[in-house]
């Protein structure tokens, strides 16, 4: 519902009114969250934003046309779908409801909207989507391979060369249209006439290759020339057959080849000629294969490239391939799904130039790129033929200036280039690996580099930026900078934990704790859609979600963990709330219900997990509040909290998708778990407690030797965040939470599971000043401590490095997003942008302005458009500027008993009302779209 207030007053203030011809215009048309995509969704969903100069503007109806050509996009002519006039305000998640679509179908579409006065606006620009290959029978291509495993060298790392494939074709008629459908078991780079096709890296992506494999589709109409053409591809082992995680470190029986031991290519080039003829060129036994300069390539362990072994001209027509080898055809798994890639591919985001290059020894240099990131380098160098130039990568330096690489553990993380000695110099850029680093140590280079000779190539899944956050406080800006760069480094095909060491797994605990923060920074709808397929594909036989997904068995004891496995509920819930996506819920609903059944079975009908309930997993109790400080919050207590929270979220999601019986069931479960939790884990005063003696000496539990305590920051923060307590109990819990913080010198004790709810819970209960003190804390443990010690990304540990003590031994990462979950509080409390309906159809603007910040501006591009909250405190008072996108409504909180002006004119008290928000009685003003300038 849009606010039913006296808008005539706002009309006078802003001097904008409706006109006879509506200016309500659709823009930013998307299909399945993407602009002009290829999809295999049978009824793809359409979305658009709206623009208008009118205030309080909203859509009263829409009309969509879909046709097989732009010429048919007219009323009465659209041959795929004419929606007719649909009276609704919906502009997102509109499912195509026209004729059944066939493989390869190119669909053109446009939309127009009717405004609040039922006047039509202009038609949008034309957008498209294209259907992929919808049936396995559409594929004529085989998987082709060249087994080079016998050429792998090294005792610790068995890394064979990368196979090259080629085929020559003739094009003798003008080409109207050409599409390349391509995938690999492993990683691929495809070329036509020597040009790389597409700008993507690490395709086709990581999946459970036993269940499904994705493919990409490229328009290559302009890449084919008349006459002979060369098709070529290089493939590598990647996630399919390469080293994964810490398997080597822990002595796992399997350390590589988790899905297969020989990579393979599958490609299909379909050409439609101007004369109407069609031709398909597919990978088969007529292709030839060889190996050349890429001697070794592995995601974790880097690349070895011998330029003297380059196959000059291999990717051009008329190349002599007499000594190339026959390929082997690999049979496909009959039950493996082959689908269009639904996510966001890894791309080059930006480049970094060196901050400095220092000589640190004979033929040895240290390059500082000024920022920790995930990616690779491109370097132009001069060297003698046969010279070996080694590149080592690290995130930090020791106090004496030496490169620190011990935290890489068993990830070799180096690239080696063997020069061919070109007098004009030669350029090297690895293909099938990436590193997490700020520093590059170069060894064996006799001719010095200039700064312009090396660039850092920043790689990430190219999720569109949707958020900005800027203040007048340099520390806060640096913190947000660190959060952004850490998310960018780790939203890399999957939500990895870190980009540098022998891990790079999508841990569920990190993912669920951070997902809401992620949505404020980038559009992760398609990225999250893809990863949730991975997560549900990895559901364990007992119904639990795993520790990470995809879930190769890199350690036999890795199973599941309370507080982490709930990502299977929390992550899709957040996608639903941020983007209004109910189709995703419907798709995974059976698995989500299986997980809830697992919890019920595990609780043995008691609806509570008592101490040691999860003692059978390794580590006992799971990973819990990972990397917390001091006594541990019992993992079983947290498990019970997450059980209740998951049931509540399931109730809400069930209502959203029309599953009323499920909604009632989960409402009942949530109530039972809350009651059982309070009975077991609180004393007579409501204070949280646990039977610490049940854990004995804590052996087998994470940090169990520190002891267990129910009365912790993490416990109260989670209980408040998850709404487990009635109002009176919540007040007491908040008081204890605030006391725990204050008595600890305004410092945190929380780990991964406690950080996310900590500041939001304090602010919700009236303790925002304490939350601001935590924000600005500079002593350990805190975000300020990291920044004081030089951090430009978020660290894994609160004390990953200290100027006094150096680096702690063992596990350590300087690019780990979990503690960046404070970003959620920054947007929702500091900027005050809080959604109150899915996809921000309605929201609250309620900034809480604390000491240390006098000016703040945050923007968030929702599914409907850009939301802006900008405030400033000066000697003359406080100003608040708000922008509300078309087709949404907002409730803006303003001070009580204070004269307020809007766009320079007093706001009558009749427009203000009192409303309970976040447990507080607030003075509010309801508005529709427009720009509003308040001052008081």
């Amino acid at each position: 519902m849009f606010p039913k207030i006296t808008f005539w007053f706002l009309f006078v203030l802003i001097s904008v009114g409706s006109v006879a011809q509506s200016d309500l215009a659709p823009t930013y048309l998307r299909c399945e969250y993407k602009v002009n995509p290829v999809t295999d969704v049978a009824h793809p969903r359409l979305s658009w934003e709206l623009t208008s100069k009118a205030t309080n503007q909203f859509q009263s109806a829409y009309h969509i046309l879909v046709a097989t050509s732009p010429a048919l996009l007219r009323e009465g002519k659209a041959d795929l779908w004419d929606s007719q006039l649909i009276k609704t305000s919906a502009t997102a998640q509109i499912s195509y409801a026209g004729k059944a679509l066939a493989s390869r179908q190119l669909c053109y579409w446009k939309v127009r909207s009717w405004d609040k006065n039922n006047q039509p606006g202009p038609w949008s620009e034309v957008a498209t989507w294209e259907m992929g290959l919808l049936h396995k029978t559409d594929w004529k291509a085989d998987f082709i391979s060249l087994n080079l495993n016998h050429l792998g060298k090294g005792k610790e790392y068995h890394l064979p060369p990368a196979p090259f494939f080629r085929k020559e074709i003739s094009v003798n008629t003008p080409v109207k249209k050409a599409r390349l459908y391509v995938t690999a078991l492993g990683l691929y780079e495809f070329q036509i006439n020597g040009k790389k096709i597409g700008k993507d890296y690490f395709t086709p992506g990581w999946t459970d290759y036993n269940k499904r494999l994705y493919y990409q589709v490229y328009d290559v109409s302009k890449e084919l020339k008349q006459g002979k053409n060369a098709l070529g591809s290089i493939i590598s082992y990647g996630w399919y057959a390469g080293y994964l995680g810490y398997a080597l470190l822990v002595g796992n029986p399997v350390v590589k080849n988790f899905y297969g031991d020989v990579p393979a290519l599958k490609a299909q080039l379909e050409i439609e000629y101007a004369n109407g003829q069609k031709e398909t060129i597919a990978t088969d036994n007529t292709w030839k294969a060889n190996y050349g300069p890429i001697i070794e390539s592995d995601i974790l362990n880097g690349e070895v490239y011998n330029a003297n072994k380059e196959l000059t001209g291999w990717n051009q027509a008329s190349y002599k391939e007499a000594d190339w080898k026959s390929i082997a055809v690999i049979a496909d798994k009959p039950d493996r799904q082959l689908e269009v890639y639904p996510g966001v591919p890894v791309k080059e985001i930006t480049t970094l130039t060196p901050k400095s290059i220092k000589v640190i020894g004979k033929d040895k240099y240290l390059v500082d790129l000024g920022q920790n990131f995930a990616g690779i380098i491109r370097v132009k160098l001069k060297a003698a033929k046969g010279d070996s130039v080694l590149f080592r990568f690290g995130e930090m330096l020791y106090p004496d200036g030496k490169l620190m690489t011990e935290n890489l553990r068993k990830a070799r993380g180096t690239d080696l280039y063997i020069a061919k000695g070109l007098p004009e110099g030669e350029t090297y850029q690895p293909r099938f690996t990436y590193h997490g680093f700020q520093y590059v140590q170069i060894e064996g280079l006799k001719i010095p580099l200039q700064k312009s000779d090396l660039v850092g190539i920043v790689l990430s899944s190219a999720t569109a930026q949707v958020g900005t956050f800027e203040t007048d406080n340099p520390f806060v800006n640096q913190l947000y900078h660190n959060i952004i760069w850490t998310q960018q480094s780790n939203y890399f095909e999957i939500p990895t934990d870190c980009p540098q060491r022998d891990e790079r797994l999508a841990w569920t605990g990190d993912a669920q704790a951070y997902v809401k923060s992620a949505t404020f920074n980038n559009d992760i709808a398609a990225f999250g859609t893809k990863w949730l397929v991975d997560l549900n594909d990895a559901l364990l036989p007992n119904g639990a979600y795993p520790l990470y997904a995809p879930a190769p068995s890199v350690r036999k004891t890795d199973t599941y963990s309370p507080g982490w496995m709930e990502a299977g509920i929390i992550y899709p819930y957040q996608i639903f709330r941020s983007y209004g996506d109910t189709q995703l819920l419907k798709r995974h609903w059976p698995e989500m219900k299986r997980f809830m059944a697992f919890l019920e079975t595990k609780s043995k009908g008691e609806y509570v997990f008592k101490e040691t309930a999860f003692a059978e997993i390794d580590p006992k109790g799971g990973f819990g509040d990972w990397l917390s400080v001091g006594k541990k919050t019992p993992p079983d207590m947290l498990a019970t909290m997450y059980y209740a929270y998951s049931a509540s979220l399931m109730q809400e999601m069930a209502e959203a998708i029309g599953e009323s019986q499920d909604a009632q069931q989960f409402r009942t479960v949530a109530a039972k778990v809350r009651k059982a939790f309070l009975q077991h884990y609180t004393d007579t005063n409501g204070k949280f407690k646990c039977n610490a003696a049940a854990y004995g000496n804590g052996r087998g539990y994470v940090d169990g030797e520190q002891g267990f305590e129910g009365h912790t920051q993490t416990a109260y923060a989670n209980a408040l965040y998850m709404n487990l307590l009635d109002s009176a109990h919540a007040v007491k819990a908040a008081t204890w939470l605030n006391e725990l913080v204050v008595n600890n010198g305004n410092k945190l004790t929380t780990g991964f599971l406690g950080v996310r709810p900590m500041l939001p819970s304090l602010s919700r209960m009236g303790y925002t000043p304490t939350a601001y003190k935590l924000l600005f804390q500079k002593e350990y443990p805190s975000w300020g401590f990291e920044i004081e010690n030089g951090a430009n990304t978020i660290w894994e540990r609160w004390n990953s490095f200290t100027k006094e003590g150096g680096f702690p031994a063992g596990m350590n990462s300087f690019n780990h997003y979990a503690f960046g979950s404070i970003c959620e509080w920054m947007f929702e409390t500091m900027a005050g942008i809080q959604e109150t309906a899915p996809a921000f159809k309605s929201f609250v603007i309620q900034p809480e302005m604390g000491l240390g910040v006098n000016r703040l501006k945050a923007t968030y591009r929702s599914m409907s458009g850009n939301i802006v909250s900008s405030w400033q405190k000066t000697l003359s008072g406080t100003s608040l500027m708000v922008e509300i996108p078309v087709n949404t409504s907002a409730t803006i909180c303003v001070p009580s008993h204070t004269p307020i002006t809007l766009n320079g004119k007093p706001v009558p008290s009749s427009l203000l009302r009192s409303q309970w928000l976040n447990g507080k009685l607030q003075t509010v003003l309801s508005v529709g779209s427009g720009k509003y300038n308040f001052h008081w």
Side-chain angles (χ1 to χ4, degrees), residues 75-205:
E75 293 182 64
K77 297 293 184 181
D79 58 343
L80 291 177
W81 185 36
D82 184 336
S83 73
Q84 302 297 320
L85 186 72
I86 305 294
K87 293 184 178 181
T88 176
S89 65
T91 59
Q93 312 291 354
I94 309 299
S95 293
Y96 168 80
K99 293 180 180 178
L101 299 174
S103 295
R104 310 172 182 86
Q105 177 71 63
L106 182 56
C107 304
Y108 299 86
W109 72 287
K110 65 180 182 180
V111 61
R112 69 171 173 175
S113 298
W114 276 252
D115 68 9
K116 61 184 178 181
N117 297 316
N118 298 315
Q119 295 296 313
W123 285 100
S124 69
E125 296 293 324
V126 176
T128 67
W129 81 82
E130 185 172 341
M131 301 304 291
L133 302 180
L134 305 182
H135 312 287
K136 269 201 168 182
T137 54
D138 292 324
W139 283 90
K140 309 305 178 188
D142 295 320
F143 280 108
I144 61 172
S145 67
L146 179 65
N147 189 339
L148 300 174
N149 284 331
H150 62 287
L151 298 177
K153 298 179 180 179
K155 294 181 179 180
E156 189 166 33
Y157 305 106
H158 181 83
L159 299 171
F164 285 58
F165 300 96
R166 75 180 309 274
K167 182 179 176 66
E168 201 164 295
I169 65 171
S170 292
V171 174
N172 300 317
T173 303
V175 173
K176 177 183 177 182
K177 169 185 167 183
R179 295 290 187 268
L180 174 68
Y181 304 86
V182 58
T183 186
L185 298 171
L187 304 175
Y188 73 83
E189 177 185 300
F190 202 94
Q191 301 181 15
I192 298 180
N193 298 321
K195 179 182 177 181
K196 177 184 174 179
I197 302 304
K199 297 181 179 180
D200 307 333
Y201 290 76
F202 297 93
T203 48

Side-chain angles (χ1 to χ4, degrees), residues 630-933:
K631 284 194 173 184
K632 302 295 291 185
T633 306
D636 309 288
M637 170 188 275
L638 287 170
T640 307
M641 291 183 178
Y642 272 97
Y643 186 9
Y645 186 50
S646 296
S648 295
L649 300 187
M650 287 291 284
Q651 174 199 331
E652 181 182 341
M653 290 185 283
E655 291 169 349
I657 62 175
E659 296 288 349
S660 56
Q661 288 186 341
D662 287 345
Q664 180 56 48
Q665 174 193 345
F666 292 124
R667 182 183 297 110
T668 301
V669 170
K672 288 181 177 179
V673 179
R674 283 194 293 268
K675 180 179 179 181
F677 168 77
L678 294 174
Q679 287 178 341
H680 185 77
Y681 282 112
T682 60
D683 65 16
T684 54
N685 293 318
K687 185 175 289 189
F688 290 177
K689 66 180 180 67
C690 75
N691 178 13
Y695 296 105
N697 60 12
R699 185 176 296 115
Y701 287 86
V702 173
D703 298 329
E705 70 281 358
Q706 297 183 27
F708 295 87
E709 170 69 67
H711 183 66
T712 66
Q713 293 181 12
T714 290
Y716 291 117
N718 274 284
L720 292 166
Y721 188 92
M722 297 174 182
N723 294 312
L724 303 184
L725 312 174
D726 62 32
S727 57
H729 196 172
V731 169
K732 291 199 289 186
T735 301
W736 289 321
L737 174 60
N738 187 66
E739 288 175 353
L740 286 169
V741 174
V742 172
N743 293 339
N744 196 44
N746 292 311
K747 289 182 287 188
L748 296 163
T749 60
T750 50
F752 281 20
L753 300 188
V755 164
R756 178 194 184 185
M758 185 65 184
L759 276 68
S761 293
L762 286 168
S763 289
R764 185 180 301 172
M765 299 305 296
Y767 292 102
T768 291
T770 302
Y772 267 92
K773 289 177 182 177
L774 288 172
L775 169 68
F776 285 114
Q777 177 63 254
K778 300 296 192 298
E779 296 180 11
Y780 166 82
S782 68
W783 297 278
F785 181 79
E786 296 180 11
I787 292 172
E788 288 288 298
N789 281 277
N792 56 42
T793 43
I794 299 295
W795 292 353
E796 177 179 24
R797 297 174 175 271
W798 292 117
N799 62 340
S800 283
F801 171 77
T802 64
K803 293 176 181 177
E804 299 77 20
F807 305 99
M811 180 198 72
N812 201 2
S813 164
F814 296 89
N815 203 336
H816 228 87
Y817 62 68
F819 285 149
S821 59
I822 187 179
C823 185
E824 173 182 332
W825 177 83
M826 294 166 71
F827 272 90
E828 290 195 326
T829 301
M830 293 180 74
I833 302 172
Q834 304 171 32
E835 56 93 350
T836 53
F840 287 80
K841 188 72 172 176
S842 66
F843 52 94
V844 170
I845 299 291
Q846 186 186 6
E848 299 198 33
M849 307 171 193
L851 294 175
V853 179
N854 293 311
R855 177 178 53 81
L856 182 151
K857 181 179 181 180
T859 67
Y860 170 67
R861 189 175 190 177
S862 70
M863 290 292 285
S864 297
N866 219 33
I867 299 168
V868 179
S869 173
S870 177
W871 54 262
Q872 185 170 6
K873 297 183 293 185
T874 64
L875 293 176
S876 64
T878 299
S879 61
L880 172 65
M881 190 280 286
V882 177
E883 289 186 24
I884 312 300
V886 173
N887 210 42
T888 67
S889 61
T891 300
I892 301 175
C893 298
V894 294
S896 303
H897 313 298
T898 301
I900 302 169
T901 63
L902 171 57
N903 296 342
K905 297 184 178 183
V907 178
S909 59
S910 60
L911 293 181
L912 302 174
R913 58 188 173 84
S914 296
Q915 179 177 332
W916 282 95
L917 283 173
N918 296 328
K920 307 169 190 173
L921 188 62
Q922 304 282 347
T923 299
V924 302
L925 177 71
S926 296
V927 299
S929 65
K931 184 174 180 178
Y932 304 89
N933 289 285

Side-chain angles (χ1 to χ4, degrees), residues 411-432:
R412 187 177 65 184
T414 61
D415 295 331
L416 178 66
Y417 181 77
I418 302 171
K420 55 185 173 183
L422 296 179
E424 68 273 19
E426 43 206 285
T427 300
Y428 171 59
Q429 176 181 324
R431 282 182 168 88
F432 301 117

